[in-house]
Amino acid sequence: MARQRRTAAATDIDMTPMIDVTFQLITFFMFTLNFTEAEQDQRIQLPTSQVAKPVENSDLEPLTLQLMNDGRVIYNGEAVPLEALGDYLENEKSVMIAASKAPADATVVVRADGRSRAGDVQQIIRDCQAKGFEKFVLRAEYKGP
Amino acid sequence: MAKRRARLSSKIDINMTPMIDVVFQLLTFFMLTLKTVIVEGDFNIKMPLGAAAGAAEDIPLPPLQVRLTATPEGRLAGVRLGEQPLVGPELLGQLAGTDAEIEAALANAKANPAGLAAAQRARQSAIATLVATLQAGILDTFGNNPDKAEEAELVLDCDPGLKYDYVVSAITAASGIVEGDEVIPLIRKIKFAPPK
């Protein structure tokens, strides 16, 4: 009888170290969770550069326009043809003016695929200029030396 | 007495199973949502409307013109700094070759992933040579003095069909020299030429 009791106690493993480790892992994965990944579309292969300045987090919310290989632009998560971008930008502009912000103060972030046409990137910039945007940022993947 | 003590000690023994279930659920969730974030960087480009004529006065040096021409496939056909050609035909051929290799490797990426990696490495080194060549040319116009370059302005004139990769290479060459871990800044004002 006493012997049976001892084997029952032996199956009772000490959970504490395992739970410690598991919580460590959870905290690690929680902190590495990236909330801005909506702005990093996986369909876009950025060109690489050694001197691109690391992204500064300014308090102003940037307008991110992502140009895909096929010439379509991802705006607010949906792919729109380049020709239609002007209408969406007009929308964006009126939203900004309603919030009493000027388009000239906003930064337009252009994330263009390395294989897209240079003319399309310039077209995006021209479309933005026509709506009053002035600050542009071209994004590239940083690849250290 | 003995019975009572036994009950007390079993009360402290909490049932861990539900907690561990939840904890592992959370762990799997966070593990699966993990995405390796690539480090990204920015190039500032200032293009205010209608300032092209007025702003030219307070810039001591005339803007540097870099002209990038393209083949019908969007490959680099030539680079001119002002009127002077910068990149020789061998490098242009090498760049076009790596372009074609990458396209072929992408089509065949599932069967031969190592081929794609090799093509990308060859591409990287060709682009690095291009950046170095461009940078040498740009520095030459400033008498190899990076401080002078900071005041200057660069106008990029690209063929519309050119691949954006090459545009970023040109901007990279113009905006800074990599020396070890440090970057010496060059031209700060970079803009695109208006289309013709």
Side-chain angles (χ1 to χ4, degrees):
Chain A
M1 201 63 187
R3 198 179 180 144
Q4 208 169 16
R5 200 167 199 166
R6 197 178 286 163
T7 50
T11 47
D12 210 15
I13 318 158
D14 187 11
M15 292 288 209
T16 324
M18 190 188 78
I19 292 168
D20 285 355
V21 170
T22 320
F23 273 111
Q24 290 279 347
L25 284 172
I26 287 186
T27 4
F28 169 73
F29 285 115
M30 263 175 75
F31 280 111
T32 50
L33 191 66
N34 180 20
F35 290 103
T36 57
E37 69 192 28
E39 287 188 359
Q40 297 192 349
D41 200 285
Q42 301 294 311
R43 283 171 284 185
I44 284 161
Q45 278 184 19
L46 289 180
T48 56
S49 169
Q50 288 195 345
V51 295
K53 274 176 259 143
V55 178
E56 297 155 17
N57 279 327
S58 57
D59 41 359
L60 248 179
E61 199 157 285
L63 168 65
T64 308
L65 298 172
Q66 316 193 56
L67 177 65
M68 286 197 285
N69 195 7
D70 59 3
R72 285 181 302 161
V73 179
I74 304 174
Y75 167 83
N76 269 353
E78 56 176 316
V80 297
L82 189 56
E83 303 80 48
L85 186 65
D87 302 337
Y88 290 90
L89 288 174
E90 184 65 48
N91 242 343
E92 185 77 31
K93 184 186 171 187
S94 45
V95 167
M96 286 184 120
I97 288 170
S100 60
K101 283 186 276 188
D105 296 331
T107 309
V108 181
V109 176
V110 181
R111 291 184 84 243
D113 194 297
R115 295 159 295 172
S116 56
R117 296 169 75 245
D120 287 353
V121 178
Q122 283 178 269
Q123 185 61 47
I124 289 181
I125 292 179
R126 272 200 299 281
D127 285 350
C128 290
Q129 281 182 320
K131 304 293 177 215
F133 293 95
E134 287 188 357
K135 274 188 241 162
F136 297 93
V137 149
L138 300 181
R139 196 150 280 184
E141 183 186 336
Y142 173 76
K143 201 156 247 179
Chain B
M1 197 65 189
K3 208 172 185 181
R4 193 165 192 167
R5 199 177 282 167
R7 196 183 284 164
L8 255 179
S9 76
S10 73
K11 217 177 187 176
I12 298 167
D13 217 12
I14 316 160
N15 189 4
M16 293 287 211
T17 325
M19 191 188 79
I20 292 168
D21 285 357
V22 172
V23 165
F24 273 111
Q25 288 280 344
L26 285 172
L27 186 61
T28 15
F29 169 74
F30 284 119
M31 269 175 73
L32 292 180
T33 50
L34 182 75
K35 256 182 209 156
T36 45
V37 186
I38 46 171
V39 189
E40 295 186 356
D42 285 342
F43 288 111
N44 290 322
I45 286 208
K46 264 207 169 170
M47 293 188 73
L49 255 191
E57 288 157 23
D58 49 86
I59 293 164
L61 292 160
L64 214 60
Q65 289 269 353
V66 171
R67 171 105 179 90
L68 304 172
T69 47
T71 64
E73 299 90 46
R75 288 168 195 157
L76 194 64
V79 181
R80 277 207 313 273
L81 180 64
E83 287 306 310
Q84 166 202 8
L86 267 190
V87 179
E90 316 94 69
L91 182 56
L92 289 174
Q94 196 188 343
L95 282 165
T98 54
D99 242 353
E101 264 171 47
I102 285 220
E103 273 158 33
L106 271 178
N108 199 14
K110 279 233 169 84
N112 186 9
L116 180 60
Q120 272 164 344
R121 244 176 290 124
R123 170 83 177 162
Q124 285 292 330
S125 79
I127 289 275
T129 321
L130 171 69
V131 170
T133 316
L134 279 174
Q135 198 155 63
I138 290 168
L139 268 176
D140 213 34
T141 56
F142 297 108
N144 289 320
N145 185 357
D147 295 336
K148 261 191 194 166
E150 273 187 62
E151 311 286 306
E153 187 180 339
L154 180 91
V155 178
L156 269 178
D157 187 3
C158 318
D159 275 356
L162 186 72
K163 279 191 186 170
Y164 181 59
D165 246 347
Y166 295 113
V167 182
V168 171
S169 305
I171 297 175
T172 302
S175 49
I177 314 168
V178 182
E179 218 157 78
D181 289 338
E182 280 178 59
V183 174
I184 303 166
L186 285 178
I187 302 172
R188 300 227 166 140
K189 289 180 190 136
I190 295 173
K191 59 185 195 177
F192 288 112
K196 282 154 206 148

